[in-house]
């Protein structure tokens, strides 16, 4: 029997409570795990719609009831954020309790210490719900794919951003309209800036890298960018080049190093990731034995996330652990941002006169950037036209340098827009 305390009765917490209360018998029958919800802690003790806590479950605003009671074996933290969540984790672990959480911000920014502390106390800190909601990606890395060396992974792991991009692409909605709807549907973080500026994707990528490559990926070194500056014009040009734009988490093994980044990227229409729409998440993984594999499902929302939380509780009850997967034993280096390599989409706003393309191509060439495709359409507006170029692989430093030089050309009208292109090939 596993006695559980739940901290935080929000969208996910409520669904976890429902599962533990209403499905206890069926979970026991299916898995052999006997999960008992004993304590629920929230600073707001108002009754929750659709959830009646039985009298044997203590509902309190006293955190000690979860963290210090010796009869509680596992604490589920679902309040999110760094503090007080971090102190709660520490106290629970110090008191030799397992911790299950969906708190990717905490684990990405400060999880290394907490994982080491948990290992030293002989308890588990589990976070399946922290990466792609209901999609069992952490467990797949630690168990089903454990025989593989992971070569690369690509993920659409923020439901809110994916919902917004889908609505913009398919319905031509504005960014603001789509964000409002995502918030109404309950996908967005308490602070949606994390969703739209790529922070949440980067947090999740940090966790994925730890599990997939065994590296202690410092979140602060991760390069990330969001979708708030994307315009419909880039979505349209991308479509003309055969791509759609997704907010992508990328991690690639390059020799003895890992290149990890999160940003909007053009991906080919023909790849299965391109059809991952709305709040759905997906991760494709390339393992050295299994080849390419894709995981797909609901990455946000109360019920899918609760499904992952309770799966972690079942594993703890049955004595299953991540083993050495979170021991950061790998010696892989992290590729510095400047050296990261990809193909690029560049949109210039230029004066419509002879020789302009030649000037741009010269600067790109001087910076070792080779052009793969070029697109110029439409009539000039106030004498300026958009010119779109797709490049072959080039490193970030060279592209930044070239754009700075191009900005100084007299024929350039507006800031150049640059986005990465990911062909997503598996070789
Ligand atoms: N805000 C997150 C998302 C929730 O939109 O994906 C799940 O982490």
């Amino acid at each position: 029997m596993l006695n559980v305390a739940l901290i935080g009765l929000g969208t996910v917490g409520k669904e976890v409570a429902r599962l533990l209360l209403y499905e206890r018998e069926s979970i026991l029958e299916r898995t052999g795990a006997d999960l008992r919800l004993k304590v629920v802690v929230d600073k707001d003790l108002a009754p929750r719609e659709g959830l009646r806590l039985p009298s044997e479950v203590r509902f309190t605003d006293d955190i000690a009831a979860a963290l210090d009671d010796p009869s509680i074996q596992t604490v589920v933290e679902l309040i999110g954020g760094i503090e007080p969540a971090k102190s709660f984790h520490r106290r629970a672990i110090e008191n030799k309790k397992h911790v299950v959480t969906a708190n990717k911000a905490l684990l990405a920014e400060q999880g290394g210490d907490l994982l080491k502390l948990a290992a030293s106390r002989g308890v588990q800190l589990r976070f399946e719900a922290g990466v792609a909601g209901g999609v069992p990606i952490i467990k797949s890395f630690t168990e089903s794919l454990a025989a593989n060396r992971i070569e690369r992974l690509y993920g659409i792991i923020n439901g809110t951003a994916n919902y917004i991009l889908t609505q913009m692409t398919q319905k031509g909605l504005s960014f603001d309209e789509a964000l409002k709807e995502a918030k109404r549907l309950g996908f967005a973080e308490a602070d949606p800036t994390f969703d739209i500026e790529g922070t949440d994707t980067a947090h999740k990528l940090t966790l994925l890298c730890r599990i997939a490559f065994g590296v202690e990926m410092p979140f602060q070194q991760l390069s990330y960018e969001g979708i708030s500056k994307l315009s419909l014009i880039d979505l349209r040009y991308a479509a003309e080049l055969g791509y759609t734009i997704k907010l992508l988490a990328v991690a690639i093994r390059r020799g003895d190093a890992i290149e990890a980044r999160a940003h909007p990227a053009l991906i080919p229409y023909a790849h299965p990731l391109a059809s991952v729409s709305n709040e759905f998440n997906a991760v494709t993984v390339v393992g050295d034995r299994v080849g390419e594999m894709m995981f797909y499902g609901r990455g946000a929302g109360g019920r899918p996330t609760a499904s992952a939380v309770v799966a972690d509780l079942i594993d703890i009850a049955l004595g299953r652990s991540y083993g050495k997967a979170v021991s950061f034993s790998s010696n892989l280096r992290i590729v510095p941002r400047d050296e990261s390599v990809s193909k690029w989409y560049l949109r210039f706003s230029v004066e419509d006169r002879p020789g302009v393309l030649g000037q741009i191509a010269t600067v790109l060439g001087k910076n070792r950037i080779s052009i793969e495709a070029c697109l110029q359409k439409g009539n000039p507006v106030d004498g300026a036209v958009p010119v779109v170029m797709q490049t072959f692989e080039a490193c970030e430093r060279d592209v930044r340098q070239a754009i700075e030089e191009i900005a100084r050309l007299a024929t350039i009208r507006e800031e150049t827009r640059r986005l990465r292109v990911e062909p997503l090939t598996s070789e």
Side-chain angles (χ1 to χ4, degrees), residues 160-161 163-185 187-188 196 227-228 230 232 278:
T160 302
Y163 181 86
I164 292 172
L165 288 176
T166 306
Q167 297 293 313
M168 287 173 76
T169 307
Q170 293 181 356
K171 299 191 186 150
L173 283 197
S174 75
F175 178 85
D176 290 338
E177 284 168 332
L179 172 61
K180 203 166 144 202
E181 191 56 10
K183 279 197 213 164
R184 193 186 66 77
L185 293 168
F187 308 142
I196 60 182
I227 59 166
S228 62
L230 268 188
L232 285 171
N278 291 317

Side-chain angles (χ1 to χ4, degrees), residues 102 104 129-133 157-162 186-190 194-195 200 204 279 281 299-301 305:
K104 57 261 167 172
V131 179
I157 47 179
N158 183 273
T160 302
N162 201 42
F187 308 142
E189 295 298 303
F194 275 21
D195 296 301
D200 181 72
K204 293 166 176 168
E279 80 276 21
N281 281 197
T305 311

Side-chain angles (χ1 to χ4, degrees), residues 1-19:
M1 192 163 76
L2 190 76
N3 288 338
V4 176
L6 169 62
I7 306 174
L9 208 47
T11 312
V12 179
K14 207 165 83 169
E15 293 300 336
V16 169
R18 279 208 182 101
L19 253 175

Side-chain angles (χ1 to χ4, degrees), residues 11-13 15-16 19 76 78 100-104 127-135 186-187 189 204 281 298-312:
T11 312
V12 179
E15 293 300 336
V16 169
L19 253 175
V76 178
L78 294 172
V100 173
T101 188
N103 191 339
K104 57 261 167 172
F127 47 89
E128 183 70 75
V131 179
V135 184
F187 308 142
E189 295 298 303
K204 293 166 176 168
N281 281 197
R298 290 181 197 279
R303 286 166 65 97
T305 311
S307 153
V309 168
V310 175
D312 274 347

Side-chain angles (χ1 to χ4, degrees), residues 82-98:
I82 307 296
E83 283 295 355
K86 185 179 180 189
S87 307
F88 294 169
H89 280 231
R90 289 197 83 89
R91 194 157 131 200
I93 294 168
E94 297 282 8
N95 286 335
K96 296 219 164 64
K97 298 181 195 311
H98 306 287

